[in-house]
Amino acid sequence: MPLNLTSAPSSRVKKPKSKPSLRKSLSAGALGSPRRQAARQSESGRGHAYSVETLPDAGVVVKLAEFSFVDVPQAIRYVQNIMFDDVLERASGLNSVRISETLNFRSSLPPIVTLAHIHALLDAPSTTDREVARLRKDGIVRQVVVPGRGSGAAGAAEGLVLFEDWQRLITETSSLQDNLKSKYVKLLHDHPTSRNLKISQIPLTEDEIGTLVHAGFFTVSNQSLGSMDVFARPGAGSSGTLASIASSGSQHVSGSLGAIGGYGAVHEAGGAGGGVYHREPMMSSSSNSGWPQALEDFRRSGQSSDFTLPSTGPYLRLLFSARSHLMSLLTKSRFKEAPLDFLRERWDGGIATDDPASKAKKARGEFVGVLPGKTRKWKQFHGLRFEWVLGECVGAGLMELFDTGSVGKGVRAR
């Protein structure tokens, strides 16, 4: 019969296994940095509560502004004034270089206000359109249309500019001579409702048109050329050939800029491409001999020139990127809706506020929020204000405001 050999039971007193202490589990390494703690508490305390169920809907807010405007020019001034926040002098997280870059970027933007933003502030779209048409006819407001930026309100292709702002930009441009400034202003007065003119109707010389294109007040486009004629001369004699460009390598010293065609090699050979004609510089010199010939071809073919403002491209890039970022912040919620104040906090990046509770936490040495200069609002959008971006999104039909009846106004994606 097999025997199982086992040790005798010990009489030693055994201590029960200790459970992990609460103090150890709440250490700084387990919770992470103070910034993550604040973000986690904010999302779990407020954001999670709003994502459990939909917000109560007491009706859509038709007009974004809480007060009425006298006319469209007053609404345009209002949008211009609320575009950016003031740069903080203390505890901003911005050094002198960043502050100068921000201020220079703001001053370089054109005074354009999208038509969609105006419709978001005024509650009568038809009346607003009629007033805009009357103001354009009277020469008080000019309309800017950027092709290729989508259709409808969401495309942000239509903008309004006060004529006095347009004239001020022309006066402040140092690269234009006084007589050319007077001719350009007279051209605007003679065609108050025109967004573009045929080149044959412009009473300016080739050099003057080139100077205005270089300054950003004109764009000359050639839409008749196809994709196969991008590098071809507009004239019929060399259509479809690259001999004029290929000969540049044998006419200049090897290793120089001219050996590869020079600056704007396509336009140097007389080509204009299939889109906007723009080159630099456009002054009359031996290196720009192709510009008068190309402009003459544009005149004969009936091409048009659009009235534009400098730095329109950076303005549109800022607009589209800001709208996309605000939409991404809103869609983080479960039902793609959030209270207006909560969405504003997300846009600001959870910065430290000046309320008494934040001041008391700061006096005790506790974490109250990040500096403004460390947020995306200032690093990428140069202090773009939440109300301005919200107006663009509402006017473009990307968002809508509604009254919750309990926590103020709410925002939902459409």
Side-chain angles (χ1 to χ4, degrees):
M1 182 175 181
L3 297 177
N4 294 329
L5 299 177
T6 57
S7 59
S10 175
S11 59
R12 186 179 58 180
V13 178
K14 296 181 179 180
K15 295 182 179 180
K17 294 182 179 181
S18 60
K19 297 181 180 180
S21 62
L22 182 62
R23 181 179 181 182
K24 192 173 184 179
S25 62
L26 296 178
S27 60
L31 290 178
S33 62
R35 181 176 180 179
R36 292 182 179 179
Q37 296 179 31
R40 188 181 294 108
Q41 292 174 2
S42 176
E43 292 295 332
S44 61
R46 298 190 58 186
H48 180 71
Y50 296 134
S51 62
V52 172
E53 57 184 9
T54 59
L55 295 173
D57 189 355
V60 178
V61 178
V62 180
K63 188 174 61 173
L64 184 61
E66 298 181 354
F67 50 88
S68 301
F69 295 95
V70 177
D71 49 12
V72 172
Q74 185 183 15
I76 293 176
R77 288 299 186 196
Y78 171 78
V79 175
Q80 293 175 350
N81 294 332
I82 67 168
M83 187 173 183
F84 292 104
D85 281 333
D86 296 333
V87 179
L88 300 178
E89 297 181 357
R90 296 181 179 180
S92 62
L94 300 171
N95 53 24
S96 58
V97 177
R98 288 276 305 280
I99 291 177
S100 62
E101 291 177 353
T102 300
L103 296 179
N104 291 334
F105 177 80
R106 293 181 179 183
S107 61
S108 66
L109 294 179
I112 299 177
V113 176
T114 60
L115 186 60
H117 202 150
I118 299 299
H119 282 305
L121 297 176
L122 305 177
D123 55 351
S126 300
T127 305
T128 302
D129 292 338
R130 288 194 295 267
E131 184 180 357
V132 169
R134 179 182 58 82
L135 293 174
R136 290 180 58 195
K137 186 177 180 180
D138 296 339
I140 300 176
V141 173
R142 293 195 65 89
Q143 189 173 12
V144 179
V145 177
V146 181
R149 288 291 180 175
S151 59
E158 297 185 8
L160 301 178
V161 183
L162 294 177
F163 180 79
E164 55 181 336
D165 293 339
W166 200 308
Q167 188 174 4
R168 175 181 54 83
L169 287 179
I170 299 172
T171 305
E172 295 176 353
T173 303
S174 59
S175 60
L176 301 179
Q177 299 180 358
D178 293 338
N179 58 345
L180 183 57
K181 294 179 182 179
S182 302
K183 292 180 181 179
Y184 186 79
V185 173
K186 184 178 183 302
L187 195 63
L188 294 177
H189 277 294
D190 295 340
H191 305 276
T193 60
S194 300
R195 298 190 293 262
N196 53 55
L197 291 175
K198 290 186 176 181
I199 300 180
S200 58
Q201 299 176 351
I202 301 178
L204 300 175
T205 63
E206 288 83 358
D207 293 338
E208 290 175 340
I209 295 178
T211 304
L212 289 173
V213 173
H214 173 56
F217 293 101
F218 262 146
T219 57
V220 181
S221 59
N222 184 12
Q223 302 298 335
S224 62
L225 294 178
S227 59
M228 299 300 296
D229 300 325
V230 173
F231 296 102
R233 185 185 296 274
S238 62
S239 179
T241 64
L242 299 176
S244 57
I245 298 179
S247 62
S248 61
S250 60
Q251 297 176 357
H252 300 274
V253 180
S254 176
S256 63
L257 185 62
I260 58 175
Y263 185 87
V266 177
H267 306 300
E268 191 70 37
V276 176
Y277 183 90
H278 181 79
R279 58 167 308 199
E280 186 177 350
M282 290 188 178
M283 314 301 262
S284 58
S285 61
S286 59
S287 62
N288 299 323
S289 58
W291 165 249
Q293 179 61 37
L295 186 59
E296 184 64 26
D297 293 336
F298 289 155
R299 290 182 188 272
R300 290 197 301 265
S301 60
Q303 298 300 323
S304 301
S305 179
D306 299 328
F307 292 102
T308 59
L309 287 176
S311 301
T312 304
Y315 171 83
L316 293 178
R317 286 193 295 269
L318 177 68
L319 170 61
F320 280 98
S321 60
R323 289 195 327 191
S324 301
H325 180 55
L326 187 62
M327 283 295 298
S328 65
L329 294 178
L330 182 60
T331 53
K332 288 181 179 179
S333 302
R334 182 178 179 182
F335 298 100
K336 296 183 180 181
E337 62 180 18
L340 184 62
D341 295 336
F342 182 58
L343 186 61
R344 181 185 289 107
E345 291 181 5
R346 282 185 171 179
W347 172 263
D348 293 338
I351 61 175
T353 57
D354 294 333
D355 58 319
S358 299
K359 291 181 179 180
K361 289 183 179 180
K362 189 175 181 180
R364 294 193 299 266
E366 299 179 5
F367 180 77
V368 294
V370 298
L371 294 177
K374 306 300 182 180
T375 61
R376 191 173 182 179
K377 172 183 175 180
W378 288 92
K379 294 172 65 175
Q380 180 178 352
F381 302 118
H382 304 279
L384 204 60
R385 188 174 293 182
F386 169 76
E387 287 75 12
W388 187 88
V389 186
L390 179 65
E392 293 292 340
C393 293
V394 172
L398 303 176
M399 299 180 181
E400 67 176 1
L401 268 69
F402 61 95
D403 190 7
T404 62
S406 57
V407 290
K409 294 181 179 179
V411 188
R412 72 163 62 98
R414 299 184 62 179

